[in-house]
Amino acid sequence: MKEEIKQLMQASADVKLKLVQDAELQERLAQAIELVCVAFESGKRVYFCGNGGSAADAQHLAAEFTGRFYKNRKALPAEALHCNTSYITALANDFSYDDIYAHLVDGIMQESDVLVGLSTSGNSPNIVKAFEKAKEKGVKTIGFTGEGGGKLKPLSNVLLNVPSGDTPRIQECHILLGHILCELVEARLF
């Protein structure tokens, strides 16, 4: 068992090492940081969405903006779109689960807000539909995906596609990239 544990730790470290060596991905992360900073500086909001573990990561990153990362400071206007379970279950029941995020994007998001979607495959239908609606409304999009980017690739203003096809390794890197995003946005704004 100890060898299996070591192999899993190494697999995680290997994907993170690919991030360290990927100058293009680092440039895209810098673009995402700039996009979020401009939104906050302009009085806009940042919204997050995901499913399952990616929903948990989306909520985690929204909380980093509304609470604090390193600094005691005012809350930044960020929110995870899935936190209202009454809304989610009503929309999923009355329409379709695929529509839960697009309906909110259409109803509450404004031009130049930012929508961050986390999907390891890049093909989650509810996130794809949300990004399509965001494009219609002039909402900026940041996609957190796995290696290929999936259907979110052409819909993302900035794509942060982790070089892996293994869901747990992708999610581990999503939280790393998300923490860097939150830390550097906070450092710039405060």
Side-chain angles (χ1 to χ4, degrees), residues 130-149:
F131 271 46
E132 290 169 345
K133 183 58 70 177
K135 287 289 185 192
E136 287 175 26
K137 293 192 68 166
V139 170
K140 305 298 183 190
T141 54
I142 300 171
F144 280 65
T145 71
E147 59 193 339

Side-chain angles (χ1 to χ4, degrees), residues 73-163:
R73 49 146 172 94
K74 71 176 187 170
L76 293 167
E79 184 177 344
L81 293 177
H82 61 275
C83 291
N84 183 337
T85 55
S86 296
Y87 164 80
I88 296 292
T89 56
L91 254 288
N93 183 62
D94 295 344
F95 296 95
S96 164
Y97 188 75
D98 293 353
D99 296 322
I100 61 170
Y101 293 135
H103 192 76
L104 277 173
V105 170
D106 191 36
I108 68 172
M109 294 189 74
Q110 303 295 318
E111 185 175 351
S112 298
D113 282 343
V114 176
L115 177 63
V116 180
L118 290 82
S119 169
T120 59
S121 68
N123 294 319
S124 301
N126 58 351
I127 297 175
V128 170
K129 281 188 162 192
F131 271 46
E132 290 169 345
K133 183 58 70 177
K135 287 289 185 192
E136 287 175 26
K137 293 192 68 166
V139 170
K140 305 298 183 190
T141 54
I142 300 171
F144 280 65
T145 71
E147 59 193 339
K151 293 177 181 176
L152 290 182
K153 183 176 183 177
L155 296 171
S156 298
N157 291 104
V158 180
L159 181 69
L160 301 174
N161 55 323
V162 172

Side-chain angles (χ1 to χ4, degrees), residues 12-23:
S12 182
D14 289 345
V15 178
K16 290 180 180 78
L17 184 58
K18 287 180 183 178
L19 296 179
V20 171
Q21 297 168 342
D22 190 338

Side-chain angles (χ1 to χ4, degrees), residues 19-80:
L19 296 179
V20 171
Q21 297 168 342
D22 190 338
E24 289 180 18
L25 186 130
Q26 293 165 26
E27 175 57 32
R28 292 193 307 275
L29 181 54
Q31 292 169 5
I33 292 164
E34 180 67 20
L35 200 63
V36 171
C37 284
V38 167
F40 284 144
E41 289 168 339
S42 304
K44 298 298 181 179
R45 297 177 165 273
V46 177
Y47 295 90
F48 292 82
C49 60
N51 297 293
S54 294
D57 290 342
Q59 190 170 343
H60 176 157
L61 296 173
E64 300 289 18
F65 283 134
T66 56
R68 65 185 299 268
F69 196 83
Y70 278 124
K71 299 179 181 192
N72 292 327
R73 49 146 172 94
K74 71 176 187 170
L76 293 167
E79 184 177 344

